[in-house]
Amino acid sequence: MTEAGNDLVAVPERVRTGSPNPITSLDAWREAWIAAKDDPDAFWLREAKARLHWRREPSEGLRGGFHEIADGPIAFFADGELNVSESCLDQHLAPRGDKVAILWEADEPGEGRSLTYRALHQEVCRAAGALRSLGVQKGERVIIYMGMVPEAAIAMLACARLGAVHSVVFGGFSAEALRDRVRDCGAEVVITQDEGLRGGRTIPLKATCDEALLGEQGVRHVLCFQRTGAHVGWTAGRDVWWHEAMSEATPVEDAVVCAAEDPLFILYTSGSTGRPKGLCHTQAGYLTWTSWTHQTVFDLREDDVYACVADVGWITGHSYIVYGPLCNGATTLMFESTPSYPDAGRYWELCARHGVTIFYTAPTAIRALAAQGDAFVQAHDRSRLRVLGTVGEPINPEAWQWYFDVVGEGRCTIVDTWWQTETGGICITPIAPATPTRPGWATLPNPGIVPALMDEHGRPIVGPGEGRLCLSQPWPGMARTVWGDHERYVATYFATFPGYYFTGDGCRRDGAGYHLVTGRVDDVLNVAGHRIGTAEFEAVIVTVEAIAEAGVVGFPHPVKGQGVYAYVVLQPGAEPGPDLQALVNNVCRAQIGAHAKVDLLQIVPGLPKTRSGKVMRRILRKVAEGQPEALGDVSTLADPSVVEAIVAGAKSL
Ligand code: PRX
């Protein structure tokens, strides 16, 4: 497409002056989608220049492609230079320095604080100074293991200001998981806090961090933010209080200049095999993508109060609490508590108190709250709400309808946003003012996203159909590589369907080009919106002494979307004891994290294996799903009799 073609799309004004959404109709979406597909260079170069604050403007858009991905990562805006924190902070000081940037709702209702763009800028410059005094340099990795306090966002942006690479580890992860991540990325500095607070309960973050770092010589410093004032262990010389380092710091006003493709952060996520992978996102492409999608999908306006109630430990928190909203000069809420504390009306009470206009959460939370009845919602004024988002898992039409009717009073647009840690930002979604919605459907691809559905022979399906969801051309926000292992990145995402990025999801497409993402088709579970590999569970479960083998699959769970079903084979002569499941869960919690819990456990005489020893997971899945009649052919099994025992002893909620 020519330059003229691109002119069909309304060119957005610089976002920092509060420009209107460029996509407010289906026609505008279509034109933008075609322009981004036909000439991604021109489309994204223009967006990147308009949205980001550059030290050196780029002259090129996309470099590389999926066919050459094994030779090296793709690049966007490769000759540009910038510092991401300047796009998120400095560029807003003149037009909106006194606007609230972060609105922090603490664990106790009504407690918290707000930081204007000016205040946030000062804190980030100071925190960057504190990190610099600890020796943090450009390119160095810093682990952030914190709860939902503004300091977590400040720490991320402070790393960005120095060109250091942050890796946020969700505060629910265990010491073991934290240690793995510290080692994998070679972090020498960890930022944590004394304790987290959630739903009136404390989370011993510093103690877990100390356990993780026991004997780890590589970590020079632990910077500890004081949240509760609890007594914590202290390693002299290594540990430093956040408030002391901040008060002594020389603010870093002059941000470190980075190349557009320097790494910005690493975020670990589970796959179908092996240990979690550190997906690596870079600077300018990621920020352009999160800024664009945040503005268009949610129809962001200057006076919006935007609340995404995810955790910064997951990609949703990175892209849609911190980077996208701040790049867009929005007021973004950070929520420390849970949807049910002190009661199931907490979300709506905070929406009323802060005048929230855009609200973004997960289907799990919606289902859990719907089960508590409408009164908790109706007790609070939701009249300012305009756009309601969901993310993280498929949303069933009933939950969608409840969100629409009860929470949104039939007045708000629901945006069911499909994306992944790897995609950096929203890929398939309604655009609030443009796309007619349909319960359960993520609808249309964003500009830049060209989906393809593959049939069982690896051929793209033309027209309506159901298949494996791939994306066929690069977009600015995609993860560039797996930290330290580009081969694994290529093997995981580009080997199944050469020339395509394979998402791991199944998807249905109708005649109108609408998409419904059905969920993972690989061995990855999505439990309450959290990704965990079945292989991770199995590796941990077999460390329980009485257990010889384990096969883990998902099953439909009314609230969590997917529950975890573990089939275990005991060691010869082992006595399971009455609380084997509790034992298993303790081990999962200790080795993975608080979110890794087995819901159903069945002791079986053996796993259904083929004669070559491969576990036929299809059988485990069908039984867990309560469909033993749909097992299909089991005659190729080495020992078909185990299937009878599995079916006979099947568990359900
Ligand atoms: O299976 C899809 C599901 O969540 C997976 C990505 O998980 P994660 O990387 O942890 O990122 C979650 C937040 C972006 C996907 O492969 N998923 C996410 N959003 C949706 C979804 N499934 C259906 N509909 C969605 N809207």
Side-chain angles (χ1 to χ4, degrees):
M1 175 147 304
T2 61
E3 281 296 312
N6 278 333
D7 290 338
L8 291 171
V9 187
V11 177
E13 292 295 311
R14 295 181 86 90
V15 174
R16 57 175 167 271
T17 57
S19 72
N21 186 353
I23 302 197
T24 52
S25 70
L26 209 49
D27 283 344
W29 165 80
R30 192 171 297 109
E31 284 160 11
W33 189 80
I34 291 169
K37 175 172 173 287
D38 291 350
D39 193 352
D41 276 351
F43 189 91
W44 293 116
L45 201 51
R46 191 191 47 207
E47 289 300 330
K49 286 182 185 172
R51 288 167 188 279
L52 311 192
H53 177 84
W54 292 92
R55 291 290 190 96
R56 179 172 165 215
E57 280 211 338
S59 65
E60 57 176 301
L62 170 64
R63 198 190 285 176
F66 290 168
H67 285 287
E68 308 93 63
I69 201 94
D71 302 334
I74 62 122
F76 270 93
F77 324 122
D79 62 347
E81 289 178 349
L82 77 167
N83 183 285
V84 158
S85 79
E86 290 186 335
S87 292
C88 292
L89 302 168
D90 303 56
Q91 75 166 339
H92 301 307
L93 292 180
R96 49 175 82 86
D98 295 324
K99 177 175 176 175
V100 173
I102 293 182
L103 191 55
W104 181 51
E105 169 85 5
D107 195 40
E108 290 303 322
E111 285 185 12
R113 68 186 168 118
S114 57
L115 287 112
T116 61
Y117 272 93
R118 200 177 317 285
L120 183 61
H121 175 259
Q122 280 169 3
E123 297 258 325
V124 168
C125 291
R126 213 162 249 293
L131 288 174
R132 185 172 271 172
S133 72
L134 300 180
V136 173
Q137 300 195 355
K138 184 178 181 181
E140 177 175 339
R141 276 79 58 214
V142 174
I143 291 265
I144 301 175
Y145 183 65
M146 300 179 83
M148 286 296 289
V149 289
E151 283 68 19
I154 292 167
M156 292 162 78
L157 291 161
C159 288
R161 199 154 186 94
L162 295 178
V165 183
H166 63 70
S167 183
V168 184
V169 176
F170 172 57
F173 273 116
S174 66
E176 194 109 352
L178 178 58
R179 184 185 307 126
D180 281 350
R181 287 154 174 76
V182 168
R183 282 187 188 164
D184 186 82
C185 72
E188 294 178 25
V189 170
V190 177
I191 309 177
T192 188
Q193 63 189 66
D194 52 359
E195 293 179 316
L197 262 185
R198 259 192 115 230
R201 304 221 315 248
T202 55
I203 300 148
L205 293 169
K206 174 68 164 66
T208 307
C209 186
D210 287 343
E211 192 188 332
L213 299 183
L214 211 65
E216 292 298 302
Q217 301 302 329
V219 174
R220 302 194 304 273
H221 286 296
V222 173
L223 187 57
C224 183
F225 171 68
Q226 197 167 40
R227 169 68 181 100
T228 64
H231 176 76
V232 290
W234 207 251
T235 303
R238 185 196 71 178
D239 297 353
V240 179
W241 282 113
W242 172 278
H243 54 272
E244 289 177 5
M246 287 289 272
S247 73
E248 289 158 16
T250 308
V252 178
E253 301 282 350
D254 192 16
V256 173
V257 178
C258 297
E261 284 295 342
D262 283 344
L264 175 64
F265 66 85
I266 301 166
L267 188 59
Y268 287 84
T269 192
S270 297
S272 48
T273 55
R275 300 166 98 77
K277 302 177 282 285
L279 271 311
C280 186
H281 284 280
T282 57
Q283 314 263 331
Y286 171 79
L287 199 61
T288 303
W289 184 245
T290 51
S291 163
W292 159 270
T293 50
H294 178 254
Q295 186 203 16
T296 56
V297 172
F298 297 106
D299 191 31
L300 184 71
R301 300 174 192 176
E302 187 66 58
D303 58 355
D304 271 323
V305 178
Y306 163 85
C308 166
V309 288
D311 192 287
V312 284
W314 309 111
I315 190 69
T316 308
H318 285 61
S319 302
Y320 297 110
I321 295 176
V322 180
Y323 287 110
L326 293 179
C327 185
N328 289 345
T331 295
T332 178
L333 186 133
M334 281 184 84
F335 181 49
E336 189 179 31
S337 194
T338 74
S340 54
Y341 182 75
D343 64 39
R346 181 67 186 274
Y347 278 165
W348 326 119
E349 190 262 336
L350 84 83
C351 282
R353 190 152 30 78
H354 294 295
V356 171
T357 53
I358 305 172
F359 185 79
Y360 194 25
T361 189
T364 294
I366 297 167
R367 285 190 291 264
L369 294 176
Q372 301 296 313
D374 301 356
F376 283 110
V377 188
Q378 284 153 351
H380 305 284
D381 176 18
R382 281 126 34 246
S383 58
R384 289 208 66 204
L385 284 174
R386 193 177 81 245
V387 180
L388 299 171
T390 77
V391 59
E393 40 177 327
I395 181 163
N396 48 314
E398 300 73 30
W400 191 103
Q401 204 64 50
W402 183 82
Y403 202 28
F404 182 77
D405 291 337
V406 179
V407 176
E409 302 175 289
R411 171 178 43 78
C412 303
T413 309
I414 308 268
V415 288
D416 172 1
T417 64
W418 174 86
W419 57 294
Q420 309 178 295
T421 304
E422 293 86 343
T423 70
I426 299 168
C427 291
I428 303 182
T429 180
I431 290 184
T435 319
T437 57
R438 199 187 298 166
W441 290 69
T443 73
L444 297 170
N446 268 331
I449 297 299
V450 185
L453 302 188
M454 299 299 182
D455 67 16
E456 62 274 25
H457 308 294
R459 286 186 303 242
I461 297 167
V462 179
E466 184 161 348
R468 284 156 191 252
L469 177 61
C470 292
L471 304 178
S472 41
Q473 78 184 35
W475 64 100
M478 65 182 294
R480 301 295 194 257
T481 190
V482 168
W483 181 257
D485 197 350
H486 192 63
E487 266 177 37
R488 187 169 177 204
Y489 171 82
V490 175
T492 307
Y493 303 109
F494 297 92
T496 318
F497 303 106
Y500 293 86
Y501 166 78
F502 176 40
T503 64
D505 280 323
C507 183
R508 195 183 311 155
R509 184 173 56 210
D510 75 355
Y514 269 35
H515 295 76
L516 183 153
V517 179
T518 50
R520 305 289 307 196
V521 292
D522 53 8
D523 291 325
V524 172
L525 303 179
N526 191 330
V527 182
H530 299 319
R531 237 165 102 164
I532 315 179
T534 53
E536 269 177 273
F537 264 116
E538 289 162 5
V540 168
I541 292 174
V542 295
T543 65
V544 172
E545 221 183 307
I547 297 176
E549 270 188 289
V552 171
V553 294
F555 70 96
H557 187 286
V559 173
K560 298 199 278 186
Q562 269 193 312
V564 180
Y565 195 122
Y567 298 87
V568 300
V569 182
L570 298 181
Q571 295 281 10
E575 279 299 322
D579 48 7
L580 184 65
Q581 188 168 342
L583 202 64
V584 162
N585 275 331
N586 282 340
V587 176
C588 290
R589 191 178 312 114
Q591 293 195 37
I592 305 175
H595 57 297
K597 183 170 165 279
V598 170
D599 298 286
L600 296 171
L601 182 135
Q602 183 186 353
I603 298 170
V604 294
L607 296 175
K609 291 184 184 167
T610 60
R611 287 187 199 107
S612 60
K614 192 172 168 308
V615 175
M616 285 185 77
R617 309 183 67 85
R618 179 176 55 84
I619 293 176
L620 299 179
R621 244 180 255 126
K622 286 291 172 205
V623 174
E625 286 166 5
Q627 299 176 348
E629 70 287 350
L631 287 185
D633 183 16
V634 297
S635 61
T636 54
L637 289 177
D639 177 7
S641 74
V642 296
V643 175
E644 279 162 43
I646 288 173
V647 173
K651 307 271 178 186
S652 61
L653 281 181

